[in-house]
């Protein structure tokens, strides 16, 4: 066969390959464009049909494929970024919620609106309110009542002693890292002033945030005098807003905080109870919690490829499994973000 015939056959084969690839990609694109947008937001960006002349983008569930296309009269080989989409990870527990704080995309919502106790996740609101009432360098004197409060309730504590004077900044580390009920009691006592007035400020702040299913009864989430209640959805909203405070974000992301001994306080070293820190990429905290009524709870957040993912797990029966579930959820949700050429 002469060379002209060979070129004609090759060209015909190329056109056929491009046509078949284009046709096979159309259903995937249609599936993306038909997906419902999150409430109050516009649909996610979907490439226009004109863009297919220069590149083909397949939906996340389509298999990876190489597509030949014409670009400025030349042939180009484009590898479509289309890893298979995994199923939603199993998340044991009574409730779970995960969403993209930037786009509003809800990745997981299970019993997210059900009211239940949230244990020490309560302390996120405590820290948030304190930072609006006090200056970080203000000094608080620990009283015997603060120490007794933690001891009498069998609560986690920061090993504070009566008479010590610590800054608000250090006491917030004591609240958020070891979940010290002695520290939260001291802050509520000073900046209420008194527990009742401080809790009123917590609830007023919750209403201003739109946390309609949240009611606080104390500053630490302990069962006495009452545990209060919230939801996975409300706690995720709170986590997003709390992490917008620069100091609170730094504190929640810190694995260990050391306070050197001084004339007015002992030396302290507090380790963060959040086991995601240092192990799961992009994690910024936020808070752990546990009571027998609430089970093991966790609010968490991570930045992944320009997306801030915020989640909450409530009522888990296994302490370590909440961290494992959160890690799997973050990995899975990170894969759901649309790829860009």
């Amino acid at each position: 066969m002469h060379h002209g015939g060979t070129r004609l056959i090759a060209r015909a084969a190329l056109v056929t390959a491009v046509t078949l690839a284009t046709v096979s990609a159309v259903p995937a694109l249609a599936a993306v464009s038909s997906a419902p947008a999150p409430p109050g937001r516009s649909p996610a960006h979907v490439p226009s049909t004109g863009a297919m002349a220069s590149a083909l983008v397949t939906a996340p569930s389509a298999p990876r494929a190489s597509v030949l296309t014409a670009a400025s009269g030349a042939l180009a080989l484009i590898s479509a970024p289309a890893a298979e989409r995994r199923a939603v990870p199993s998340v044991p527990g009574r409730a779970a919620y995960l969403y993209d704080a930037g786009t509003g995309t809800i990745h997981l919502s299970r019993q997210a609106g059900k009211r239940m106790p949230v244990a020490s996740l309560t302390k996120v609101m405590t820290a948030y309110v304190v930072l609006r009432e006090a200056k970080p360098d203000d000094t608080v004197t620990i009283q015997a009542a603060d120490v007794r409060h933690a001891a009498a309730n069998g609560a986690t504590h920061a090993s504070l002693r009566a008479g010590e004077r610590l800054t608000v900044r250090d006491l917030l580390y004591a609240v958020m890292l070891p979940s010290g009920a002695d520290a939260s009691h001291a802050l509520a006592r000073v900046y209420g002033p008194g527990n009742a007035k401080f809790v009123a400020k917590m609830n007023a702040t919750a209403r201003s945030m739109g946390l309609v299913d949240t009611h606080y009864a104390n500053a630490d989430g302990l069962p006495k005098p009452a545990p209060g209640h919230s939801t996975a959805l409300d706690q995720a909203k709170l986590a997003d807003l709390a992490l917008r405070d620069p100091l609170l974000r730094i504190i929640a992301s810190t694995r260990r905080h050391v306070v050197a001994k001084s004339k007015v306080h002992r030396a302290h070293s507090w380790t963060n109870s959040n086991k995601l820190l240092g192990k799961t990429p992009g994690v910024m905290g936020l808070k752990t919690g546990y009571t027998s009524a609430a089970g093991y709870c966790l609010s968490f957040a991570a930045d992944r490829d320009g997306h801030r993912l915020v989640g909450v797990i409530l009522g888990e029966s296994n302490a370590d499994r909440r961290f494992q579930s959160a890690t799997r959820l973050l990995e899975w949700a990170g894969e759901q973000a649309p790829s860009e050429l």
Side-chain angles (χ1 to χ4, degrees):
M1 181 180 295
H2 57 77
H3 295 297
T6 302
R7 287 195 294 270
L8 181 60
I9 292 173
R11 186 175 303 158
L14 174 60
V15 171
T16 301
V18 174
T19 302
L20 289 174
T22 303
V23 171
S24 63
V26 169
L29 286 170
V32 173
S33 63
S34 63
R41 294 183 180 270
S42 59
H45 171 71
V46 177
S48 64
T49 53
M52 292 174 62
S54 58
L56 288 173
V57 182
T58 59
S61 58
R64 178 173 294 278
S66 294
V67 180
L68 284 170
T69 184
S72 301
L75 292 177
L77 184 64
I78 297 176
S79 180
E84 291 188 3
R85 183 167 181 165
R86 292 188 297 160
V88 181
S90 173
V91 183
R94 296 171 62 192
Y97 188 78
L98 179 72
Y99 82 116
D100 186 319
T103 66
T105 301
I106 299 171
H107 291 290
L108 173 68
S109 181
R110 181 165 60 79
Q111 294 283 74
K114 184 176 178 60
R115 294 179 177 182
M116 58 187 72
V118 296
S120 286
L121 268 59
T122 298
K123 295 187 177 87
V124 176
M125 180 62 85
T126 298
Y128 188 88
V129 170
V130 167
L131 283 172
R132 273 133 197 86
E133 296 287 324
K135 296 179 180 179
D137 291 325
D138 287 350
T139 300
V140 172
T141 301
I142 304 303
Q143 295 186 356
D146 305 323
V147 179
R148 284 198 305 269
H149 173 76
N153 288 283
T156 51
H157 57 83
S159 300
L160 302 179
R161 289 185 181 176
E164 288 190 283
R165 294 174 58 199
L166 294 120
T167 65
V168 167
R169 178 185 289 103
D170 284 334
L171 286 175
L172 287 174
Y173 276 101
V175 167
M176 296 296 290
L177 273 62
S179 201
D182 44 1
S184 60
H185 189 276
L187 289 168
R189 173 177 53 78
V190 171
Y191 292 104
N195 186 75
K197 290 183 178 179
F198 188 83
V199 171
K201 291 177 180 179
M202 293 171 69
N203 286 317
T205 303
R207 288 192 297 272
S208 72
M209 290 177 170
L211 310 185
V212 297
D213 291 304
T214 295
H215 177 76
Y216 295 107
N218 52 48
D220 44 41
L222 289 170
K224 297 178 181 179
H229 62 255
S230 187
T231 67
L233 173 58
D234 277 5
Q235 288 301 300
K237 292 179 182 178
L238 172 59
D240 175 36
L241 293 170
L243 288 171
R244 297 182 192 182
D245 183 291
L247 179 56
L248 191 48
R249 183 170 63 249
I250 290 171
I251 292 172
S253 303
T254 300
R255 296 176 66 184
R256 184 167 176 263
H257 182 70
V258 176
V259 181
K261 182 179 179 180
S262 76
K263 294 180 180 179
V264 295
H265 60 70
R266 300 184 305 138
H268 292 280
S269 178
W270 298 310
T271 300
N272 202 317
S273 57
N274 186 348
K275 295 183 180 181
L276 294 179
L277 293 171
K279 297 181 180 179
T280 304
V283 165
M284 295 172 290
L286 178 66
K287 190 70 187 72
T288 63
Y290 172 78
T291 64
S292 58
Y296 293 99
C297 304
L298 177 68
S299 62
F300 57 97
D303 284 339
R304 295 286 178 87
D305 298 324
H307 294 265
R308 176 159 295 180
L309 302 171
V310 181
V312 171
I313 296 173
L314 301 178
E316 169 63 81
S317 60
N318 182 285
D320 288 333
R321 193 165 55 194
R322 57 184 160 168
F323 302 114
Q324 297 163 2
S325 295
T327 298
R328 288 195 300 269
L329 281 175
L330 289 172
E331 291 174 350
W332 169 80
E335 296 174 356
Q336 311 312 310
S339 300
E340 297 180 2
L341 290 177

